[in-house]
């Protein structure tokens, strides 16, 4: 269910896949993609990301968009993404976005927050 919701949002928001729109550093994005920073920069310069990398970048964009919507501001969404969260066993949401399952956990948490559950 969460995966379908993420795909639907991806279709409706072209800006979600733009790397620059995330305002994350190269080292942060490289870590999420499980790449070294030089490898990430080479792929970015040549736009040679694998399908899996692109999928992860879309997930990052979707989660950031949702965090902004739930928290009310881009800066608050970015801060939330980088801060340890008790509901995620004190992991920062950004650290979990490297896998589909982790992204689903983060997306589900944001959905609960949007419904009024505090996290």
């Amino acid at each position: 269910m969460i995966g379908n919701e993420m795909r639907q949002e991806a279709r409706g928001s072209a800006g979600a896949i733009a790397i620059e729109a995330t305002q994350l550093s190269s080292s942060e994005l490289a870590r999420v993609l499980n790449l070294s920073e030089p490898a990430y920069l080479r792929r970015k310069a040549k736009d040679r990301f694998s399908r899996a990398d692109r999928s992860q970048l879309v997930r990052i964009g979707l989660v950031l968009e949702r965090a902004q919507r739930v928290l009310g501001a881009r800066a608050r969404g970015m801060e939330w993404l980088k801060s340890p969260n008790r509901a995620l066993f004190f992991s920062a949401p950004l650290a979990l976005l490297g896998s589909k399952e982790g992204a689903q956990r983060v997306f589900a948490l944001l959905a609960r927050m949007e419904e009024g559950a505090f996290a």
Side-chain angles (χ1 to χ4, degrees):
M1 178 158 138
I2 298 297
N4 289 337
E5 187 177 13
M6 288 171 68
R7 282 191 290 278
Q8 287 172 345
E9 285 198 28
R11 285 187 212 114
S13 58
I17 61 170
I19 297 167
E20 291 77 22
T22 65
Q23 294 183 338
L24 294 169
S25 70
S26 295
S27 62
E28 290 168 323
L29 285 168
R31 220 170 316 149
V32 172
L33 296 173
N34 296 316
L35 298 171
S36 67
E37 190 171 358
Y40 166 78
L41 291 172
R42 280 191 306 274
R43 288 184 187 189
K44 180 181 175 189
K46 295 179 181 179
D47 195 24
R48 302 283 306 208
F49 291 105
S50 69
R51 179 175 277 167
D53 292 343
R54 289 182 189 281
S55 184
Q56 286 177 308
L57 291 170
V58 167
R59 282 196 295 267
I60 293 167
L62 290 173
V63 168
L64 179 57
E65 276 186 10
R66 186 75 174 259
Q68 287 174 203
R69 189 169 64 235
V70 170
L71 299 170
R74 181 176 206 73
R76 290 178 69 192
M78 290 299 296
E79 182 181 338
W80 182 83
L81 262 182
K82 295 178 182 183
S83 301
N85 190 298
R86 175 180 281 181
L88 299 171
F89 302 102
F90 296 98
S91 293
L94 183 61
L96 299 176
L97 297 181
S99 72
K100 184 177 179 179
E101 295 78 19
Q104 287 176 335
R105 287 178 49 206
V106 173
F107 209 79
L109 175 58
L110 284 166
R112 289 194 310 268
M113 291 168 63
E114 197 168 36
E115 293 170 358
F118 189 76

